Amino acid sequence: QYRLVESGGGLVQSGGSLRLSCTISGTSLDYNIIAWFRQVPGKDREGISCINGRAGGTEYGDSVQGRFTVSKDNAKNTVYLQMHDLKPEDTGVYYCASVATSPLSTTCSYRFTMDFWGEGTVVTVSS
């Protein structure tokens, strides 16, 4: 059964750091793009980052560029989102999602339609 599970959310002060994890079951990172999104009430879901599970190419949204880093551990079938210099506007429910990619692909885009989603983990950044 294909499954994605996020963890690592919590409450942190502005300027602090958190690391989120996304563990994938039922497939291999080698054949997938994994993307991170966040959702806040009253706003559209925002794509924030992605990683090519085989080649490691990444993409970041403008709002997190330079502060967030996505990485992966293929042996653990896990993708990480390291978040630094967190701001109140980073508050939201963070989701990871996946879509299969060509073996020739080295890049990713969170604009692709994702096939599988996790349940989310809550990040709250206080002033």
Side-chain angles (χ1 to χ4, degrees):
Q1 186 176 34
Y2 197 99
R3 189 166 71 114
L4 299 91
V5 179
E6 305 96 335
S7 62
L11 175 64
V12 64
Q13 282 191 292
S14 181
S17 300
L18 284 173
R19 188 178 74 161
L20 307 183
S21 298
C22 175
T23 299
I24 297 96
S25 301
T27 190
S28 171
L29 287 179
D30 288 346
Y31 307 115
N32 288 273
I33 287 166
I34 307 297
W36 288 96
F37 300 84
R38 66 188 177 196
Q39 183 82 60
V40 298
K43 295 183 66 177
D44 291 337
R45 185 176 61 209
E46 179 185 13
I48 58 174
S49 189
C50 65
I51 188 165
N52 184 298
R54 182 186 64 260
T58 59
E59 182 182 59
Y60 297 94
D62 290 342
S63 65
V64 305
Q65 181 72 47
R67 300 187 297 120
F68 292 11
T69 301
V70 65
S71 61
K72 63 186 179 69
D73 185 337
N74 289 76
K76 296 181 178 180
N77 249 17
T78 298
V79 169
Y80 304 97
L81 185 67
Q82 180 67 58
M83 306 185 293
H84 294 297
D85 192 24
L86 284 161
K87 304 175 181 181
E89 54 262 41
D90 294 318
T91 293
V93 182
Y94 283 68
Y95 300 90
C96 62
S98 69
V99 63
T101 191
S102 166
L104 298 178
S105 176
T106 61
T107 61
C108 71
S109 175
Y110 52 72
R111 297 172 181 86
F112 294 164
T113 299
M114 303 294 155
D115 290 330
F116 298 95
W117 293 78
E119 294 294 323
T121 186
V122 177
V123 172
T124 304
V125 184
S126 62
S127 300

